[in-house]
Amino acid sequence: MSLTPTQPVQLLSDYSPYPFVLSQTRLDFTLSPRGTRVVTELDLAARNQITDLVLDGGKGLTLESLAINGTTLDAAHVSRDDETLTIAAAALPQGGFTLQTQVLIDPADNTAFEGLYQSGGIFCTQCEAEGFRHITFYPDRPDVMTTFHVTIRSDLPVLLSNGNPVSAGNGVAEWHDPWPKPAYLFALVAGDLKAVSDSFTTKSGRKVDLNVWVRPGDQDRAGFAMESLIKSMKWDEDVYGREYDLDVFNIVAVDDFNMGAMENKGLNIFNSKLVLASPETATDTDYERIEAVIAHEYFHNWTGNRITCRDWFQLCLKEGLTVFRDQSFTGDMRSAAVKRIEDVQTLRARQFREDQGPLAHPPRPDRYEEINNFYTATVYEKGAEVIGMLKRLVGDADYAKALDLYFDRHDGDAATIEDWLKVFEDATGRDLAQFERWYTDAGTPTLKMTEDWNDGTLSLTFTQSTPATPGQPDKPARVIPIAVGLIGPNGDEVAGTQVLEMTEPTQSFTFDGLATRPVVSALRGFSAPVMLDRQMDNATRAFLFAHDTDPFARWEAGRELAMSALVDLAQGRDAGAGYVHAIGALLSDGTADAAFRALCLALPSEDSIATRLAALGITPDPDAIHAARSGLALRVAETHQDLLASLFDRTEVTGPYSPDAASAACRSLRIAALGLLARIDGGQRAKVLFGTASNMTERMAALAILLRLGKGSAELQALYDEFGGNRLVMDKWFSIQPMAARPEDAVRIAEQLAQRDDFDWKNPNRFRSLLGGLAANHAGFHAADGSGYQFTADWLIRMDAVNPQIAARMSTAFETWSRYDDSRKTHALNALERIAGLAGLSRNTREMVSRMIAVGT
Ligand code: B3K
Ligand code: ZN
């Protein structure tokens, strides 16, 4: 199905270089909330012959003056529309010239948090992807790279920008960034901030000053972020040979931020939830995420900043690679096996869901209406999977060789996916033409596997197929690395893992000389982002769950046992004995890693059960899915009550809280046991744990367990009394209530929360907490009467007028709407059409809802 364009579409095939070369940018800011003056000087020269000079910049810029080489431009040569300013070629001198503009902007009125805005009295910026054009007139595209010299005038005590400090004092600070960069990496921060400081000496002996800037009083919650930064700097030197390249690295935490964080050169700006942490306020998951995101933004210094993207179609060049790097970092810092399983869970929950619905697109899209809608799981997470496959195919040594060549060849460039693949071709001698389809084709391939055993020879036959996605009806075969191991009947590994390289639509691989028929462990390590379609009985699944030496494949076998039971249960068939039995064996196995066991104890999410049913051609019934999942959990709890109780008692982590992986793993196993036990003890243990725990991990987990039982109001109140003034804890308070509510209560609870004075909905974290919390309650959001859809649509409409990026992002709650029954579909379509029909709807939300509507009409 193709997009119905309702607004201008950007096409990859339209790319042409900017007709001017920009050799330096000088910016001078005089900060004031309602009228910040920005004086910009651009040293420009025509690339070939002189054409009209078109700069990005819209209605929010009040133009005060415009001059070339000091002479004011004649108004007859200047024209403006809603998005650009054009200076006629006739007014431009031959050779180089300096364009000077002076504009006035209104940061206090900037509720979209794009460009320069204020967050609780702190001036800050967000320029990726196209925010710089809200600050000044500029060629706001990633392939226009130059050095920046920035002057900031303000009475505020801390004035920061990119690069190295030149001077500061008397209300004026100057910064110079010697590394050419596109405008999307520009940043400015000004405010009353305090630093937690440290330093790092790079491998070549350069001392770098490190600061994490927070609000006064928050310094004691910034230490973990600093530790994470230092670990990241060291890891990038050790593993990728990448060294930091400025005298100072600043991180600033702000409360109003549209996403997690931003990699501005030398001045990363973070959502405060990804910086601030203390045991009383942050969970183990928060700590792990802080470590990962600090690393991610730091790693962008090379993969994103030193080498950036030629245009926004190439976004996965920097994002896929940087996610791949941060995943490897976390694997090295914690448990690689557990991290891999968690990454696959995220990929399936977010990217497979995207790939199977109306918003499917390739990691390198070739068209978009609003680029901010393409910061997706496909660009990020699938982009990372594609790099993982590349590494698996060429091997570790050749991967390292190719990366060295990439950094050597493209340092200072705005590069493309073709450049990236060429580096691998040149470094390894491989032809990657077929591999490129992973970048250009949308959709998740299904990989069907059949086995044939004949006299000591095992043949595996694989058939790949990828369904049509919007705009892409046909999908040729891709190269798929399939990691396979063979396990003998006694549970021993017969042969180590081999990577089979599939290139045809159907292909067979044989293993001969085998004494007995082995059990196949397929797609080890989740070696490719595909859906494996394999007929397997529960006995074989249980065998792999007990014996597979590959942690992912072992976990997957357990998940398949659970999933197949849930699919049956959701359709009213009795099932689950095999799973319940296998879980008993796992509970008794004290040798398995605690975090791994915790992952195995968690049943597949309701959304993923719905996805599986839909893939089987069955219309998912959210209430039946909820009942099936609760029923299976109850059965596990009843059958293994004693084992679970003793596990719960044995896994208590004593002593002062530490967020390290081993302690977090123990807590996660204990919480998994607690969740199951609550099905039979009425939440008694959870209530006690909430009252006694001194860390937020256990308190939040206990609270969620109580809420799922329809209890927990005293605990909610206690949390509010203690942390009502702490934004980050209150965000959790707002999200957990609709998320963990019984489905029949979820919408009502969300409605009540939305009425509260402290539902500060213009704050992206608070909005996401409430709306995202409801959307995460599968049966609650998909309430049969459509109330979840209506509530969400009402708030998306309200948010769109204030912050289009957030509204568009949250609209993905609807992305699976067309897989449900007719009545739900009608309700959902009504909600989407109500949004689409709104006058003045943003380009962001319009693109999203029209793509979602298109799939069902
Ligand atoms: N590059 C930013 C994301 C910008 C999103 C713009 N809508 C953060 C990151 O991926 O590191
Ligand atoms: Zn990134």
Side-chain angles (χ1 to χ4, degrees):
M1 195 157 330
S2 67
L3 282 175
T4 322
T6 52
Q7 45 201 5
V9 175
Q10 309 297 319
L11 298 175
L12 169 61
S13 54
D14 282 350
Y15 176 81
S16 67
Y18 193 61
F20 292 83
V21 175
L22 175 57
S23 52
Q24 207 195 29
T25 293
R26 292 177 293 281
L27 299 165
D28 189 320
F29 288 84
T30 306
L31 295 176
S32 167
R34 300 309 309 254
T36 287
R37 183 154 287 118
V38 188
V39 179
T40 306
E41 287 183 357
L42 307 180
D43 295 339
L44 290 156
R47 190 176 289 277
N48 298 308
Q49 80 247 43
I50 290 199
T51 61
D52 289 355
L53 175 63
V54 182
L55 300 171
D56 299 298
K59 287 179 290 190
L61 304 179
T62 304
L63 182 59
E64 295 188 324
S65 73
L66 185 57
I68 285 187
N69 294 339
T71 307
T72 299
L73 267 168
D74 184 340
H77 292 300
V78 183
S79 58
R80 280 185 77 173
D81 62 22
D82 283 354
E83 300 197 348
T84 55
L85 176 143
T86 302
I87 302 168
L92 302 174
Q94 297 291 334
F97 59 92
T98 297
L99 176 76
Q100 189 186 61
T101 59
Q102 182 172 313
V103 300
L104 209 55
I105 53 177
D106 188 348
D109 190 42
N110 184 350
T111 58
F113 306 141
E114 206 185 354
L116 177 67
Y117 64 94
Q118 279 197 297
S119 171
I122 302 169
F123 284 92
C124 64
T125 52
Q126 172 53 36
C127 293
E128 187 177 1
E130 298 179 334
F132 196 70
R133 61 189 62 189
H134 300 294
I135 295 176
T136 187
F137 292 104
Y138 203 80
D140 188 8
R141 41 186 283 170
D143 60 343
V144 174
M145 299 171 81
T146 188
T147 56
F148 279 63
H149 193 97
V150 178
T151 305
I152 311 169
R153 300 168 201 279
S154 165
D155 293 337
L156 290 163
V158 176
L159 308 175
L160 306 172
S161 191
N162 316 93
N164 294 321
V166 177
S167 64
N170 296 329
V172 186
E174 267 187 74
W175 290 81
H176 183 74
D177 186 357
W179 298 104
K181 65 168 178 291
Y184 84 85
L185 290 172
F186 167 80
L188 177 153
V189 171
D192 181 10
L193 295 161
K194 296 285 178 226
V196 167
S197 303
D198 209 319
S199 70
F200 180 82
T201 303
T202 69
K203 61 177 181 172
S204 67
R206 172 201 277 274
K207 183 164 173 281
V208 183
D209 291 333
L210 311 176
N211 303 297
V212 177
W213 296 93
V214 296
R215 273 181 209 294
D218 281 342
Q219 294 96 311
D220 58 347
R221 290 195 288 153
F224 186 76
M226 178 59 88
E227 281 173 38
S228 305
L229 173 61
I230 292 171
K231 283 196 244 175
S232 312
M233 296 179 86
K234 178 84 174 69
W235 187 90
D236 214 14
E237 290 189 347
D238 292 347
V239 181
Y240 277 80
R242 297 297 107 200
E243 198 173 331
Y244 188 61
D245 52 7
L246 290 167
D247 303 338
V248 41
F249 189 82
N250 286 310
I251 288 177
V252 182
V254 298
D255 292 330
D256 299 287
F257 207 62
N258 283 348
M259 63 267 177
M262 177 64 210
E263 69 262 26
N264 317 297
K265 182 82 189 187
L267 176 53
N268 286 188
I269 300 182
F270 271 65
N271 189 318
S272 53
K273 71 184 269 208
L274 290 167
V275 172
L276 302 177
S278 67
E280 303 74 40
T281 60
T283 63
D284 290 334
T285 313
D286 293 330
Y287 277 98
E288 182 171 337
R289 206 154 149 62
I290 289 171
E291 185 180 87
V293 179
I294 295 262
H296 179 98
E297 305 311 331
Y298 174 72
F299 297 159
H300 266 314
N301 190 54
W302 273 94
T303 52
N305 301 2
R306 288 285 285 261
I307 306 179
T308 193
C309 303
R310 186 192 72 174
D311 51 63
W312 291 120
F313 299 102
Q314 321 293 332
L315 184 57
C316 75
L317 177 75
K318 75 177 176 82
E319 295 304 348
L321 178 54
T322 306
V323 171
F324 181 72
R325 276 151 51 70
D326 85 54
Q327 291 174 343
S328 314
F329 166 78
T330 301
D332 285 353
M333 295 298 120
R334 293 163 181 261
S335 152
V338 167
K339 175 64 176 158
R340 183 65 188 139
I341 296 169
E342 288 170 350
D343 288 341
V344 175
Q345 284 180 320
T346 309
L347 184 83
R348 284 176 168 158
R350 298 185 52 229
Q351 199 279 325
F352 279 24
R353 174 181 151 118
E354 187 164 76
D355 240 357
Q356 285 157 33
L359 303 177
H361 56 276
R364 204 249 319 255
D366 56 10
R367 54 189 291 143
Y368 63 79
E369 293 175 34
E370 169 53 57
I371 186 56
N372 284 309
N373 290 337
F374 283 79
Y375 286 75
T376 58
T378 298
V379 167
Y380 277 65
E381 272 79 32
K382 187 164 179 180
E385 288 299 316
V386 172
I387 290 171
M389 277 189 289
L390 200 48
K391 186 171 183 210
R392 212 164 274 118
L393 286 169
V394 304
D396 292 354
D398 273 0
Y399 176 80
K401 215 164 107 187
L403 266 286
D404 285 345
L405 181 59
Y406 179 63
F407 293 122
D408 267 9
R409 186 184 283 177
H410 290 294
D411 187 10
D413 284 354
T416 61
I417 291 299
E418 282 75 11
D419 293 330
W420 163 254
L421 289 176
K422 182 80 171 61
V423 158
F424 275 80
E425 290 189 327
D426 292 351
T428 67
R430 260 177 184 261
D431 177 350
L432 292 171
Q434 189 185 16
F435 187 83
E436 192 174 4
R437 288 182 189 146
W438 281 107
Y439 282 107
T440 57
D441 292 6
T444 306
T446 293
L447 191 61
K448 194 174 166 56
M449 178 181 116
T450 54
E451 296 177 39
D452 186 49
W453 169 253
N454 189 2
D455 197 18
T457 299
L458 176 74
S459 302
L460 299 182
T461 302
F462 294 94
T463 303
Q464 57 168 300
S465 64
T466 306
T469 50
Q472 291 189 331
D474 303 312
K475 314 285 168 120
R478 310 177 188 192
V479 50
I480 302 182
I482 310 168
V484 167
L486 304 179
I487 300 171
N490 61 353
D492 288 347
E493 189 97 356
V494 176
T497 305
Q498 290 183 48
V499 179
L500 311 175
E501 202 172 318
M502 181 186 191
T503 54
E504 304 294 328
T506 295
Q507 207 167 335
S508 296
F509 300 87
T510 54
F511 302 83
D512 43 30
L514 298 166
T516 46
R517 181 172 182 162
V519 175
V520 182
S521 162
L523 210 66
R524 285 188 154 179
F526 200 63
S527 59
V530 300
M531 285 184 286
L532 186 64
D533 173 8
R534 169 186 188 187
Q535 294 304 316
M536 209 187 331
D537 57 26
N538 276 348
T540 312
R541 288 186 182 121
F543 176 85
L544 287 172
F545 188 44
H547 299 291
D548 206 319
T549 53
D550 180 80
F552 166 77
R554 184 176 175 199
W555 169 81
E556 178 80 334
R559 180 177 184 271
E560 278 304 311
L561 268 176
M563 187 60 103
S564 61
L566 289 162
V567 160
D568 280 343
L569 289 165
Q571 295 175 86
R573 292 195 290 269
D574 182 36
Y579 172 73
V580 174
H581 183 75
I583 283 295
L586 180 84
L587 286 171
S588 321
D589 175 4
T591 61
D593 175 87
F596 177 80
R597 288 204 282 165
L599 287 170
C600 294
L601 280 182
L603 286 168
S605 71
E606 291 175 26
D607 189 67
S608 70
I609 303 166
T611 304
R612 174 65 64 92
L613 285 164
L616 295 169
I618 301 157
T619 302
D621 173 347
D623 301 316
I625 291 172
H626 183 75
R629 193 170 180 276
S630 308
L632 188 55
L634 175 63
R635 196 161 150 194
V636 170
E638 284 172 346
T639 313
H640 302 303
Q641 186 170 354
D642 295 343
L643 280 172
L644 287 165
S646 94
L647 187 65
F648 178 75
D649 293 338
R650 275 186 289 119
T651 44
E652 183 173 358
V653 186
T654 50
Y657 173 88
S658 153
D660 67 89
S663 315
C666 239
R667 277 187 290 271
S668 68
L669 181 54
R670 188 162 196 249
I671 288 164
L674 182 70
L676 290 163
L677 286 166
R679 311 258 174 191
I680 40 183
D681 76 2
Q684 235 179 313
R685 287 181 183 81
K687 207 170 171 56
V688 173
L689 183 63
F690 182 90
T692 53
S694 58
N695 64 77
M696 191 50 99
T697 307
E698 289 173 319
R699 294 189 85 186
M700 277 322 266
L703 177 58
I705 288 167
L706 291 170
L707 294 174
R708 259 177 228 122
L709 299 172
K711 302 184 175 177
S713 48
E715 286 74 15
L716 273 176
Q717 187 60 45
L719 206 65
Y720 182 83
D721 292 343
E722 193 173 343
F723 293 107
N726 181 312
R727 298 176 80 108
L728 298 178
V729 178
M730 288 312 288
D731 287 336
K732 296 184 199 301
W733 192 86
F734 269 89
S735 79
I736 199 167
Q737 295 185 62
M739 185 157 66
R742 290 178 304 188
E744 61 274 26
D745 301 331
V747 178
R748 180 182 47 80
I749 287 172
E751 282 167 352
Q752 284 167 359
L753 288 168
Q755 301 293 322
R756 293 177 60 100
D757 288 346
D758 52 359
F759 179 51
D760 172 15
W761 62 276
K762 293 182 186 172
N763 171 257
N765 290 0
R766 191 59 51 93
F767 186 83
R768 260 192 300 258
S769 292
L770 181 56
L771 277 287
L774 178 62
N777 187 327
H778 183 257
F781 175 70
H782 294 287
D785 63 0
S787 54
Y789 305 150
Q790 280 158 28
F791 173 82
T792 302
D794 288 345
W795 278 102
L796 293 181
I797 288 169
R798 202 154 169 199
M799 182 51 107
D800 189 63
V802 167
N803 186 330
Q805 271 189 47
I806 296 294
R809 170 55 64 112
M810 294 305 299
S811 73
T812 56
F814 285 98
E815 96 189 296
T816 57
W817 72 274
S818 65
R819 73 184 181 196
Y820 296 94
D821 55 84
D822 286 345
S823 167
R824 284 187 171 84
K825 271 178 13 192
T826 306
H827 287 304
L829 190 58
N830 284 343
L832 286 169
E833 283 178 340
R834 189 153 61 86
I835 302 171
L838 213 71
L841 193 67
S842 69
R843 175 165 66 201
N844 309 53
T845 305
R846 180 164 306 285
E847 180 185 24
M848 295 297 273
V849 293
S850 59
R851 284 160 75 199
M852 286 190 278
I853 289 171
V855 78
T857 50

